[in-house]
Amino acid sequence: MSAITRKEVEHVANLARLQLAEEEAERYTKDLNAILDFAAKLNELDTSNIEPTSHATDVKNVMREDVNRPSLPREDVLKNAPDHEDGQFKVPAVFE
């Protein structure tokens, strides 16, 4: 991986509308290059016998089964509504 230059750090800061002090630009250049060095080390690992995964652990759905059960009575639910009409919530129109 190629190193990030201070000029590139300053360019990205400018695009993000960030003002960096001299020491900040120097520190970010050093930190970003350290990150790239670490990523390069990871690329050295032999992963040819490793199966690709989307999670580090085996993930399964933990949803419960759907069960038909009685709901609240409509009258009780509509008691809390600010406005209702014909057994339904009445809300302000979104479109004219």
Side-chain angles (χ1 to χ4, degrees):
M1 292 186 180
S2 61
I4 292 179
T5 65
R6 181 182 171 132
K7 186 175 180 178
E8 290 170 323
V9 169
E10 290 170 349
H11 177 69
V12 171
N14 182 49
L15 291 175
R17 305 290 190 257
L18 298 174
Q19 292 181 345
L20 297 180
E22 292 292 321
E23 55 275 354
E24 288 177 316
E26 194 64 39
R27 187 181 74 215
Y28 291 140
T29 302
K30 183 179 173 185
D31 290 349
L32 289 170
N33 280 309
I35 292 169
L36 289 177
D37 290 342
F38 182 73
K41 284 184 183 180
L42 291 176
N43 284 335
E44 294 172 8
L45 293 173
D46 178 19
T47 59
S48 58
N49 293 325
I50 307 296
E51 185 178 335
T53 60
S54 60
H55 283 278
T57 59
D58 193 23
V59 178
K60 292 186 171 50
N61 270 342
V62 290
M63 296 184 194
R64 63 175 170 77
E65 292 293 322
D66 285 337
V67 177
N68 226 358
R69 55 186 180 173
S71 60
L72 296 171
R74 185 179 300 207
E75 298 79 30
D76 290 348
V77 173
L78 292 175
K79 275 194 254 182
N80 295 320
D83 198 8
H84 60 87
E85 183 179 302
D86 296 328
Q88 299 178 357
F89 292 103
K90 187 173 180 181
V91 297
V94 178
F95 300 106
E96 293 185 29

